[in-house]
């Protein structure tokens, strides 16, 4: 039977890419299913989702601004407007079920669906659930989580631990290190550091590299550097001067970056953590300290406490992050140990498990 599903959420790659992975898995399992995405106007999902071949509707909605309270004055009006927009979308599309993956659009879409008795699903990618998902989880049909121990946020009988859906290009990665390094025009004879601050970039990480790039190069290391928009101009200028550095705002073919890397320095968004586990590459996390409930630190500690990662606090990154990278580069035994632990934490079929559970229900 022809089924229709709405996937709501976005804002960052950490929400968008797993949502697309779930959509692809749903269509592999049931090619007749019709999928519509709902996101926030002006956010990156409005670009990335159509690129993946799916239709998307945008809502006039924004999140709560913790840094500038005055910017929240219009928030109640935007929320009310978004509910009217959601109502029109549902009238036209008539979904059989809705799944929320996090981001501004998740709350109004799932809340409206629940008010109409439509099955709702949540995928909570972080180790510390957001407030909106906690509220929605009380009436959700099923809550998919990345890790166990989430009963403090959601009803225990509705939780299914699936892991985080990782892009198929990364989950099924078969690229050799040599081919990946050739892709970035880098040497196979040097230890390669992948620096990635998430899809939007990370100022503290970029500042750390800019301040200590000479030390990195003197240590015999080479660099693949996804800058995001933050300080990208400065990074590009440095890369032009040094053949050991490849830099760009965004890496489209992330599977090549992971295959080339010997060490990773990154933020600790849920999807970054999941992809690093699949890639089995030693990592130094610099969690973004202003993430809701400091969930990036919680995500990172899940690996640090198992001996799979190191952690540098954001405010210490400029002074000590590169020093830790160089230290890890010199310690092959620790790198091997980290890789071994990461292998045990790797989940490559979360998208299939989520899709299967949804299709069983609808």
């Amino acid at each position: 039977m022809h089924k229709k599903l709405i996937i709501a959420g976005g804002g960052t790659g950490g929400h968008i890419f797993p949502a697309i992975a779930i959509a692809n898995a749903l269509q592999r399992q049931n090619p007749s299913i019709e999928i519509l995405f709902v996101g926030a106007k002006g956010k990156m999902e409005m670009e990335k989702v159509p690129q993946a071949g799916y239709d998307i509707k945008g809502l006039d909605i924004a999140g709560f601004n913790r840094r500038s309270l005055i910017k929240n004055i219009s928030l109640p009006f935007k929320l009310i407007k978004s509910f009217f927009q959601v109502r029109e979308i549902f009238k036209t599309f008539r979904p059989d079920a809705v799944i929320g993956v996090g981001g501004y659009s998740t709350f109004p879409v799932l809340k409206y669906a629940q008010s109409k008795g439509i099955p709702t699903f949540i995928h909570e990618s972080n180790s510390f659930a957001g407030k909106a998902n906690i509220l929605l989880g009380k009436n959700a049909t099923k809550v998919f989580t990345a890790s166990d121990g989430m009963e403090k946020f959601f009803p225990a009988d509705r939780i299914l631990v699936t892991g985080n859906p990782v892009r198929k290009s990364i989950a099924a990665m078969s690229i050799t290190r040599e081919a990946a390094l050739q892709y970035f025009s880098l040497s196979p004879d040097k230890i390669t550091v992948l620096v990635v601050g998430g899809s939007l970039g990370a100022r503290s990480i970029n500042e750390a590299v800019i301040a200590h790039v000479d030390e990195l190069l003197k240590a015999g290391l080479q660099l693949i550097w996804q800058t995001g928009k933050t300080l990208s101009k400065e990074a590009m200028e440095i890369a032009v001067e040094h053949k050991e550095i490849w830099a760009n705002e965004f890496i489209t073919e992330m599977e090549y970056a992971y295959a080339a890397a010997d060490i990773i320095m990154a933020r600790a968004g849920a999807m970054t953590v999941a992809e690093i586990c699949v890639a089995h590459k030693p990592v130094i996390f610099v969690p973004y300290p202003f993430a809701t409930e400091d969930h990036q630190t919680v995500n990172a500690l899940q690996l640090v406490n198992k001996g799979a990662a190191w952690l540098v606090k954001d405010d210490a990154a400029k002074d000590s992050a590169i020093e830790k990278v160089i230290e890890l580069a010199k310690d092959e035994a620790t790198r091997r140990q980290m890789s071994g632990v990461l292998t045990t934490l790797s989940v490559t079929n979360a998208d299939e498990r989520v899709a299967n559970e949804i299709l069983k229900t609808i």
Side-chain angles (χ1 to χ4, degrees), residues 131-179:
K131 286 185 172 63
N133 275 357
I134 293 171
L135 289 170
L136 293 164
K138 294 173 183 176
N139 295 308
T141 306
K142 189 73 74 175
V143 179
F144 308 113
T145 65
S147 56
D148 53 16
M150 299 297 280
E151 293 83 2
K152 56 184 174 287
F153 304 114
F154 304 111
D157 61 342
R158 298 183 188 180
I159 294 173
L160 180 64
V161 181
T162 60
N164 277 328
V166 173
R167 288 172 273 183
K168 266 288 178 272
S169 59
I170 293 167
M173 193 165 56
S174 60
I175 302 154
T176 65
R177 180 177 182 271
E178 289 71 21

Side-chain angles (χ1 to χ4, degrees), residues 47-323:
E47 175 188 350
K48 298 296 180 186
V49 168
Q51 285 175 0
Y54 294 99
D55 291 333
I56 186 168
K57 300 288 186 183
L59 304 181
D60 294 295
I61 192 168
F64 185 80
N65 192 312
R66 289 172 171 78
R67 295 186 179 182
S68 175
L69 294 179
I70 197 166
K71 290 183 179 178
N72 296 310
I73 291 173
S74 64
L75 189 58
F77 304 100
K78 287 182 177 179
L79 189 59
I80 292 166
K81 183 178 181 181
S82 72
F83 273 102
F84 283 109
Q85 292 173 321
V86 168
R87 186 176 68 179
E88 291 306 307
I89 290 169
F90 274 59
K91 275 183 181 178
T92 305
F93 189 72
R94 299 185 178 279
D96 296 289
V98 177
I99 178 168
V101 295
Y104 302 147
S105 61
T106 291
F107 185 79
V109 174
L110 267 70
K111 193 70 177 171
Y112 185 83
Q114 289 176 351
S115 75
K116 297 299 179 184
I118 297 169
T120 57
F121 301 88
I122 294 169
H123 185 273
E124 176 52 71
S125 57
N126 290 299
S127 304
F128 197 106
K131 286 185 172 63
N133 275 357
I134 293 171
L135 289 170
L136 293 164
K138 294 173 183 176
N139 295 308
T141 306
K142 189 73 74 175
V143 179
F144 308 113
T145 65
S147 56
D148 53 16
M150 299 297 280
E151 293 83 2
K152 56 184 174 287
F153 304 114
F154 304 111
D157 61 342
R158 298 183 188 180
I159 294 173
L160 180 64
V161 181
T162 60
N164 277 328
V166 173
R167 288 172 273 183
K168 266 288 178 272
S169 59
I170 293 167
M173 193 165 56
S174 60
I175 302 154
T176 65
R177 180 177 182 271
E178 289 71 21
L181 287 167
Q182 190 174 10
Y183 178 86
F184 293 104
S185 300
L186 295 174
S187 168
D189 302 320
K190 290 177 179 282
I191 290 177
T192 305
V193 181
L194 169 62
V195 173
V196 53
S199 54
L200 303 179
R203 177 170 290 276
S204 63
I205 291 177
N206 288 342
E207 286 179 343
V209 176
I210 290 168
H212 300 281
V213 67
D214 289 341
E215 293 160 52
L216 265 175
L217 299 180
K218 281 177 187 173
L221 306 180
Q222 59 189 1
L223 185 64
I224 299 169
W225 187 3
Q226 178 181 292
T227 65
K229 295 190 183 300
T230 311
L231 299 175
S232 61
K233 181 174 178 289
E234 292 85 341
M236 304 292 186
E237 288 171 356
I238 292 170
V240 168
E241 296 173 10
H242 300 282
K243 63 179 174 52
E244 304 94 338
I245 299 174
W246 183 98
N248 210 314
E249 282 189 17
F250 191 77
I251 302 173
T252 305
E253 311 288 345
M254 271 304 293
E255 60 270 27
Y256 282 87
Y258 285 130
D262 298 297
I263 297 169
I264 299 171
M265 181 165 66
R267 287 300 199 201
M271 290 315 302
T272 300
V273 172
E275 290 179 356
I276 287 170
C277 288
V278 169
H280 315 153
K281 297 300 172 77
V283 58
I284 297 169
F285 287 122
V286 184
Y288 179 58
F290 302 108
T292 308
E293 308 291 353
D294 197 19
H295 68 251
Q296 285 207 8
T297 297
V298 179
N299 292 343
L301 288 173
Q302 291 271 332
L303 270 62
V304 172
N305 292 338
K306 293 179 173 74
W310 288 355
L311 187 149
V312 174
K313 289 187 175 179
D314 188 79
D315 59 6
K318 189 172 181 180
D319 293 329
S320 62
I322 298 304
E323 181 183 330

